[in-house]
Amino acid sequence: MFKKIIYGLAISSVLFACQDESNTIELQESLDQELITSHLMSFNSQDDYKKIFEDPTIIENKTNELNFVSLKSKMPDLDLTETDTRNTNNLKNTADFIYDDYGILPKILNEDKIVKIDSYLIKVDLHNERVLVLEDQYQEEYDDLVFDNLKNNNIMVFSTEDEILQLLNQGSRGTINAQRACDSGANHRTIDRQWKSSRRKRGNGKVAFQKAGIYFSLVADIHAQKRSLGIWFRDGGASTSITYNVWWQGRCDGHSDGAENGSVSNSGGRTVYRPYESFDGLHLYRYEADLYSSNGSGGIVIEDVTP
């Protein structure tokens, strides 16, 4: 689809070839900008992007304003139709499922897993644990970004471990597992467990520290399921809750530490709690969660406490 639009722009430039050259350039620049903003969620600066972590309604407003089609909107609610344990691993390896657990991230990415922040087109590739970055002055090379053409020297390659916005500010042109000078980043951790209360009812629990280059989060998740005809469905009538004790230490100077304890619950057979969700990574953390479901429950602890 993107290529078709590019071809359309080329035809337009031929039709207007007889006009004053400066007007043609202005028209082309205007069309190029419309091309970007109509298919990407666009943040004019890094500061604008960072505001979504304080006010997530910005995402909804932008989506409605731009008529934006997000990755999230194209994904089925897999949690409602998750198959039994034998097929769950296959399901989780599908192209989009891995993004579903990453909070607001799939809401700002388009179908190509790309978002525009400041003057950069940023593709978050969770499957290969890397993030590809292309300056918007090379936007005609968008397809190279989509199809991972790493032979294109304009495409910068980072790791999902990297704090990419900070590295770009420092003039980095791409690196894998780059560390800021102040300290090392906390390691990614994910623990998934299941607890059955009967042959037909179970609780699925997870606690994780997620790293996606432009998105970092601590999350606990418990959802109840029931089995019918060999298929596990969300049990919307089951009760769920999370009791948590969590602390974290931010990276580098100027990033505050945090600690919380308490409990949360939700209707619909699922409860998710994110005490930390940011554009910045962490230095240290510990997340202890008791995950309760009337269909099965238990506790999970994740931590990286090594200075």
Side-chain angles (χ1 to χ4, degrees):
M1 179 175 65
F2 199 87
K3 285 184 176 179
K4 290 180 181 178
I5 297 174
I6 292 293
Y7 297 152
L9 293 179
I11 292 172
S12 297
S13 66
V14 172
L15 293 176
F16 290 101
C18 295
Q19 295 185 5
D20 180 80
E21 183 178 355
S22 62
N23 291 336
T24 303
I25 293 173
E26 289 179 5
L27 175 62
Q28 185 66 42
E29 289 177 348
S30 175
L31 289 171
D32 285 345
Q33 185 60 31
E34 182 180 352
L35 177 65
I36 289 297
T37 57
S38 63
H39 294 88
L40 299 173
M41 183 164 287
S42 178
F43 299 91
N44 293 330
S45 67
Q46 291 189 15
D47 286 340
D48 283 346
Y49 171 68
K50 293 173 182 179
K51 289 177 183 176
I52 67 175
F53 295 96
E54 301 173 0
D55 182 8
T57 62
I58 294 174
I59 298 174
E60 182 178 353
N61 293 337
K62 275 184 170 288
T63 299
N64 294 334
E65 178 184 349
L66 300 173
N67 198 23
F68 172 68
V69 179
S70 69
L71 176 62
K72 180 71 173 179
S73 70
K74 304 298 290 185
M75 296 167 61
D77 190 351
L78 296 177
D79 186 55
L80 292 176
T81 58
E82 188 172 341
T83 56
D84 64 17
T85 306
R86 291 169 298 175
N87 295 322
T88 297
N89 289 334
N90 292 331
L91 181 61
K92 289 187 176 181
N93 285 330
T94 60
D96 293 342
F97 186 91
I98 190 172
Y99 292 83
D100 188 53
D101 292 333
Y102 277 69
I104 63 177
L105 183 65
K107 296 179 181 180
I108 65 171
L109 298 178
N110 70 0
E111 295 179 74
D112 299 321
K113 288 79 175 178
I114 296 173
V115 62
K116 181 176 181 288
I117 302 175
D118 198 359
S119 59
Y120 300 100
L121 308 181
I122 300 175
K123 178 180 180 180
V124 180
D125 180 359
L126 294 180
H127 279 293
N128 293 304
E129 299 183 342
R130 68 189 178 194
V131 179
L132 307 183
V133 179
L134 180 68
E135 292 180 83
D136 65 359
Q137 64 177 308
Y138 305 115
Q139 60 186 290
E140 69 276 4
E141 299 168 9
Y142 180 92
D143 281 353
D144 282 347
L145 195 62
V146 172
F147 295 108
D148 304 333
N149 180 14
L150 302 186
K151 294 181 180 179
N152 184 335
N153 291 329
N154 292 324
I155 293 179
M156 297 174 271
V157 183
F158 295 87
S159 167
T160 50
E161 300 277 334
D162 299 333
E163 293 179 288
I164 291 167
L165 299 182
Q166 291 85 342
L167 290 171
L168 289 172
N169 285 339
Q170 295 168 7
S172 173
R173 297 293 301 172
T175 181
I176 295 295
N177 295 324
Q179 293 184 355
R180 295 162 67 187
C182 58
D183 61 54
S184 60
N187 291 316
H188 169 83
R189 293 278 191 277
T190 298
I191 296 180
D192 293 278
R193 286 183 183 159
Q194 291 181 349
W195 305 277
K196 286 188 176 181
S197 60
S198 70
R199 292 178 57 189
R200 297 188 178 275
K201 291 189 176 184
R202 71 184 184 190
N204 282 355
K206 178 178 75 174
V207 182
F209 175 47
Q210 300 170 325
K211 307 175 76 170
I214 59 171
Y215 176 86
F216 299 85
S217 178
L218 285 166
V219 58
D221 183 347
I222 176 69
H223 59 281
Q225 292 183 314
K226 58 184 178 181
R227 189 173 65 179
S228 176
L229 299 177
I231 299 176
W232 289 97
F233 295 90
R234 169 103 62 85
D235 187 353
S239 58
T240 58
S241 66
I242 299 172
T243 300
Y244 59 89
N245 190 346
V246 56
W247 65 264
W248 63 88
Q249 185 179 106
R251 294 193 67 185
C252 306
D253 295 334
H255 297 302
S256 60
D257 304 338
E260 291 185 19
N261 62 80
S263 62
V264 292
S265 60
N266 197 18
S267 59
R270 186 175 190 180
T271 298
V272 180
Y273 186 62
R274 296 180 185 273
Y276 184 83
E277 191 173 27
S278 177
F279 51 88
D280 274 330
L282 293 175
H283 179 44
L284 304 171
Y285 65 83
R286 177 182 169 85
Y287 197 163
E288 180 178 353
D290 290 323
L291 308 171
Y292 170 78
S293 158
S294 54
N295 292 6
S297 58
I300 298 176
V301 178
I302 61 168
E303 64 180 10
D304 184 348
V305 296
T306 304

